[in-house]
Amino acid sequence: MLAWILAIVGVMTVIGKVEARAIEPTERRLVAANAPVLELNDAQGMYAIGRYVEMLEDPSHRLTLAEVASLRYDSLFQRSKQDIPNFGYSRADYWFRLKVKNRANDPESQWLLEIGYPLIDQVELYFFHQDGTYQIKKAGDLLPFHQREIQYPTFVVGLALDTAQVHTIYLHFSGHSSKQFPMYLWKSLHFFQEKHQEDMAWGCYFGILLVMILYNLFLYFSIRHITYLYYVLYISCFMLVQLSISGYAYQFLWPTLPWFADLSNVFFLGFTIFFGMCFSISLLNIRQMLPRLYPLMIGLGALGLVISVVTLTELVEFPTRIAAMLSLACAFTLFSVGLFMLRKGYRPARFYMIAWTALLLSLIIYISKNAALLPNNFFTNYCMQFGSAMEVILLSLGLGDSINSMKREREKAQLEVILALQENDRIKDAITEELEKKVAERTQEISKQKEELEVLNATKDKFFSIVAHDLKGPLNSMTGFFDLLANHAGMLSAEETQKIAKNLSQSVENTTRLTDNLLTWAMAQMNTLKHQPKAISLSKIIVEKSALFKESADKKQIALQTEIQPGLGIFADENHIRFVLRNLISNALKFTKPAGTITISAIFDNETVKVSVSDDGVGMDEEVLNKIFQIESKYTSEGTSGEKGTGLGLLLCKEFVERNNGKLWATSLPGKGSTFTFSMKKLAD
């Protein structure tokens, strides 16, 4: 590809019509002696010529080369103070004058002049020779693409710059496009090397858009949800806008339609506004959630279609300016709607707000650059690409999240219907003919939920099976011990009798603990366990619980330590917190070997209070760690002294912590010990 482009450069044809004539001596006016001179050398491959040019504004659109090159207009030229001159949506024509001298050692090196804004309507370049003759090279998006000297999205022409000579170049810009003029002089090889990387970046950007279009189009055909279709149409039109702005659309899609190339960016922008509004209305459910704003959003979308039609009729002189104002109005409207929906707790609005914030900021920066309010540089030139790529990806995530949320709500409603039907089945004498009709109508929906119901029933059965096993073990042990005492008491020594009594006491204690936990868990599930939050001193509760377990720790020769910051206050149910601490400390004692250490710490962590119970006991591997908080895989194991666990304590701890707006988690390593931590919002000062 590079060799092919260099071959084109070698045989450079002149854009449009190339004229060569001499200005009469009376009107010849090259550049004044004090004009800036751009000197080229071998060390630099690219020059931004914005500060080397002199400018002349022509609001009358009537000045000719002979006039602007005459002594009469010499004093009217003003030197540019910008790297990239930018006059926004000005109606005037602009003349630029450049004086350049080639000091490169390689006389054969080819130099290229690039005007880096692809949407300029008309460009006329006048290249003066030493003898006063000049050439005219014409460019702009109002000329067919094949007439360009270099087949590239921006305007690029070759300059034959002889060494040791000063060349004068006049540039005349006219038309209705934004008057911004990023101008550069390149060595040809350096130009094509740099532009190859730029083309690759554009390719990645359009590739992202195309992948999102195809992916969501496939999803639309799969689930037939209209929001996906609106999204695909919105992103497709937006991609066409970006293709038009970058000049690639004119090069590859409609190179023989200059009139459409001049209008295509505004034409597709109107459709982008329309489909963007349709997508937002559908995604955020505006018709039901915000019915008063629905007509406004429909009206703004319809204005986008009007702009597209008016652009083709050319009834408006500056449609780009109107489209830009409408784009800003729509962006602020959608941003406000998204913010309102976010405050209402509408889940899809989260991704939506992040996406539109990114696009809105990039849109403001880009329009401000076009209006000459911000400088023309790499960031302002490509901010729309960065912002839109983020918006496309985040909107797709938000769309998927919205569909999943609706699916979950529908499944939840269906599950509630299933449970209601099961209850009605137990009291079938009260079933009415109307209910039977409803059951018949919903049979098809119920069948889809059968598998989920079976999973729930299996989980319930497994749970009760585990609980029955936990009760059966201690009861069998007690039965055996009582049988020994009843039938063989005379054969037992005092030591054996004491050991049996100790085991009976431990079995009764385990059974009592299991029964207490079962009752507490059942009350929690039925929401009959009262939740009475209040301001409590966490430091006081920790000290009390440490003292409660001090005797048990001493019996097992375990050091029980506390590290508590003063003034730890939280707003929670005191009974819940006591239960959580009691279970966590009890578990730590259970799984810590004699001579081990248990540390209870409580500290402030930003806006929360974090409480940790750490031990250096047996620890757990990752598989066990993943089971301890799951009811369907209730896990229990013996302690270091044969203590039995109920398996429900940690489940209740997690539920009580979450009921008090906190979080509970655990970390552990086999043989190194475990740390159970819960955090809650600290009490306001």
Side-chain angles (χ1 to χ4, degrees):
M1 182 66 180
L2 179 61
W4 182 78
I5 297 176
L6 289 173
I8 294 177
V9 176
V11 295
M12 285 187 179
T13 56
V14 179
I15 296 179
K17 182 179 178 182
V18 179
E19 301 179 11
R21 70 179 184 88
I23 296 180
E24 296 300 323
T26 57
E27 65 182 25
R28 182 183 304 164
R29 225 317 289 160
L30 296 179
V31 183
N34 61 349
V37 179
L38 174 60
E39 296 187 354
L40 311 178
N41 55 56
D42 292 314
Q44 194 168 342
M46 186 275 288
Y47 297 85
I49 64 176
R51 294 184 181 273
Y52 290 90
V53 298
E54 296 175 299
M55 305 177 299
L56 175 64
E57 184 178 8
D58 176 19
S60 68
H61 313 287
R62 295 178 181 177
L63 292 180
T64 64
L65 175 65
E67 291 175 322
V68 299
S70 65
L71 291 173
R72 175 185 174 187
Y73 285 89
D74 177 47
S75 61
L76 299 180
F77 275 92
Q78 296 181 352
R79 183 170 180 176
S80 170
K81 297 181 180 180
Q82 298 174 292
D83 291 326
I84 300 177
N86 189 348
F87 304 97
Y89 294 105
S90 172
R91 297 173 181 267
D93 290 358
Y94 287 89
W95 288 83
F96 289 87
R97 184 170 62 192
L98 173 67
K99 186 176 183 180
V100 59
K101 186 174 184 179
N102 184 12
R103 293 186 176 275
N105 295 327
D106 184 7
E108 301 298 327
S109 62
Q110 176 67 51
W111 291 89
L112 304 176
L113 175 63
E114 179 194 15
I115 291 83
Y117 183 54
L119 301 183
I120 295 176
D121 290 341
Q122 291 179 315
V123 183
E124 293 176 336
L125 182 145
Y126 302 92
F127 182 73
F128 278 86
H129 302 290
Q130 281 295 109
D131 58 1
T133 61
Y134 63 89
Q135 286 182 312
I136 302 177
K137 298 189 177 186
K138 298 182 180 180
D141 63 7
L142 295 182
L143 291 177
F145 194 85
H146 70 271
Q147 292 187 15
R148 297 192 179 188
E149 183 174 330
I150 305 295
Q151 304 289 298
Y152 196 72
T154 57
F155 308 118
V156 185
V157 296
L159 299 177
L161 300 177
D162 298 331
T163 57
Q165 293 186 12
V166 177
H167 297 273
T168 304
I169 301 171
Y170 283 87
L171 291 165
H172 178 214
F173 297 96
S174 59
H176 296 223
S177 62
S178 175
K179 299 302 190 303
Q180 49 183 300
F181 310 111
M183 297 176 290
Y184 310 94
L185 267 175
W186 298 81
K187 281 187 178 180
S188 59
L189 183 59
H190 189 71
F191 172 82
F192 292 114
Q193 289 173 341
E194 292 294 324
K195 292 302 178 180
H196 175 70
Q197 297 179 4
E198 185 176 321
D199 291 340
M200 291 291 290
W202 277 106
C204 292
Y205 170 71
F206 290 123
I208 292 173
L209 297 185
L210 187 59
V211 166
M212 299 309 298
I213 290 171
L214 295 177
Y215 172 70
N216 286 278
L217 185 61
F218 173 77
L219 290 179
Y220 168 71
F221 287 129
S222 299
I223 64 177
R224 298 291 180 179
H225 198 287
I226 190 64
T227 309
Y228 279 99
L229 181 60
Y230 286 142
Y231 177 81
V232 168
L233 293 173
Y234 164 65
I235 299 302
S236 298
C237 293
F238 185 83
M239 185 172 71
L240 287 171
V241 171
Q242 293 299 316
L243 283 168
S244 300
I245 291 175
S246 62
Y248 289 103
Y250 192 23
Q251 181 178 5
F252 296 110
L253 300 182
W254 41 79
T256 60
L257 301 175
W259 64 272
F260 187 67
D262 185 47
L263 305 172
S264 59
N265 61 318
V266 182
F267 176 75
F268 289 114
L269 181 59
F271 282 100
T272 302
I273 292 172
F274 174 73
F275 289 120
M277 282 293 175
C278 292
F279 168 72
S280 300
I281 291 171
S282 179
L283 176 67
L284 300 179
N285 197 18
I286 298 299
R287 184 176 293 183
Q288 283 73 37
M289 303 290 287
L290 297 173
R292 293 184 178 180
L293 285 180
Y294 176 72
L296 171 63
M297 298 179 69
I298 287 293
L300 290 173
L303 283 177
L305 293 180
V306 171
I307 285 180
S308 296
V309 174
V310 170
T311 299
L312 293 181
T313 60
E314 299 186 5
L315 294 177
V316 180
E317 184 178 6
F318 286 94
T320 305
R321 183 181 300 177
I322 299 175
M325 294 172 62
L326 179 61
S327 298
L328 277 178
C330 292
F332 280 113
T333 299
L334 294 176
F335 182 84
S336 301
V337 169
L339 185 61
F340 184 78
M341 295 298 293
L342 184 63
R343 289 181 175 177
K344 291 185 69 173
Y346 191 60
R347 180 182 174 92
R350 295 182 301 172
F351 290 105
Y352 184 86
M353 277 302 299
I354 299 173
W356 275 106
T357 300
L359 183 64
L360 178 61
L361 291 176
S362 62
L363 182 63
I364 293 173
I365 294 171
Y366 185 78
I367 292 177
S368 300
K369 184 264 296 184
N370 283 353
L373 300 177
L374 290 177
N376 194 319
N377 52 42
F378 177 83
F379 176 71
T380 57
N381 279 333
Y382 295 101
C383 62
M384 280 290 291
Q385 284 70 42
F386 293 118
S388 60
M390 289 183 59
E391 185 226 14
V392 166
I393 296 172
L394 290 169
L395 283 182
S396 181
L397 293 175
L399 180 56
D401 184 71
S402 174
I403 300 302
N404 289 334
S405 296
M406 289 188 291
K407 183 179 178 181
R408 286 192 295 269
E409 291 176 1
R410 184 170 62 251
E411 290 174 349
K412 181 180 178 181
Q414 292 171 345
L415 184 58
E416 291 175 354
V417 170
I418 294 172
L419 296 175
L421 292 176
Q422 287 181 332
E423 180 65 23
N424 290 338
D425 206 24
R426 289 193 294 268
I427 53 172
K428 58 184 177 181
D429 293 338
I431 295 177
T432 64
E433 183 179 354
E434 180 181 356
L435 182 58
E436 292 176 346
K437 181 179 179 181
K438 290 183 178 180
V439 171
E441 292 174 349
R442 297 181 183 271
T443 299
Q444 187 176 3
E445 294 181 2
I446 295 173
S447 62
K448 296 179 181 179
Q449 302 300 320
K450 181 179 179 181
E451 184 177 351
E452 293 184 9
L453 182 59
E454 291 175 351
V455 173
L456 291 175
N457 286 332
T459 302
K460 179 192 67 177
D461 294 341
K462 183 176 181 181
F463 172 74
F464 283 116
S465 174
I466 294 172
V467 170
H469 179 271
D470 286 349
L471 283 172
K472 184 177 180 181
L475 291 176
N476 286 339
S477 298
M478 287 188 287
T479 301
F481 290 143
F482 282 124
D483 182 66
L484 284 173
L485 292 174
N487 299 319
H488 305 284
M491 301 173 61
L492 299 174
S493 64
E495 182 180 350
E496 289 174 331
T497 303
Q498 183 178 6
K499 183 177 181 181
I500 291 174
K502 181 179 180 182
N503 289 334
L504 276 172
S505 175
Q506 186 173 359
S507 295
V508 171
E509 182 182 352
N510 289 338
T511 305
T512 302
R513 188 184 303 114
L514 174 59
T515 304
D516 289 342
N517 284 341
L518 280 172
L519 289 174
T520 305
W521 180 81
M523 292 174 65
Q525 298 306 307
M526 293 185 295
N527 292 320
T528 58
L529 193 65
K530 293 183 179 180
H531 180 224
Q532 299 176 327
K534 62 180 182 179
I536 60 176
S537 171
L538 191 58
S539 306
K540 179 181 178 182
I541 296 175
I542 294 174
V543 170
E544 291 178 0
K545 290 302 174 184
S546 299
L548 178 66
F549 284 96
K550 185 67 169 60
E551 182 178 353
S552 299
D554 292 341
K555 286 182 179 180
K556 207 171 178 181
Q557 297 180 353
I558 295 174
L560 187 60
Q561 303 175 350
T562 57
E563 298 176 358
I564 309 172
Q565 285 187 355
L568 294 172
I570 60 173
F571 188 77
D573 188 303
E574 183 173 352
N575 292 327
H576 290 179
I577 301 304
R578 290 180 179 274
F579 180 91
V580 172
L581 283 169
R582 183 172 69 249
N583 273 269
L584 295 183
I585 298 173
S586 175
N587 281 350
L589 286 170
K590 174 181 173 182
F591 294 106
T592 301
K593 296 178 180 180
T597 301
I598 297 174
T599 302
I600 307 170
S601 63
I603 61 171
F604 285 115
D605 186 11
N606 294 328
E607 296 299 318
T608 64
V609 175
K610 184 182 293 184
V611 181
S612 298
V613 179
S614 303
D615 63 69
D616 54 4
V618 296
M620 296 174 283
D621 58 24
E622 186 174 355
E623 181 180 359
V624 173
L625 196 62
N626 292 332
K627 293 180 179 179
I628 59 176
F629 293 117
Q630 298 178 7
I631 190 171
E632 65 271 13
S633 57
K634 188 174 74 66
Y635 181 82
T636 182
S637 62
E638 290 189 356
T640 56
S641 298
E643 301 97 328
K644 298 291 185 179
T646 68
L648 285 175
L650 288 177
L651 298 178
L652 287 168
C653 287
K654 186 174 189 296
E655 182 162 345
F656 285 166
V657 169
E658 291 177 350
R659 284 197 179 195
N660 289 276
N661 299 318
K663 294 181 180 179
L664 172 65
W665 67 93
T667 58
S668 183
L669 288 175
K672 300 293 185 180
S674 304
T675 298
F676 286 81
T677 305
F678 68 89
S679 64
M680 292 185 178
K681 190 173 182 180
K682 72 176 184 179
L683 196 64
D685 296 333

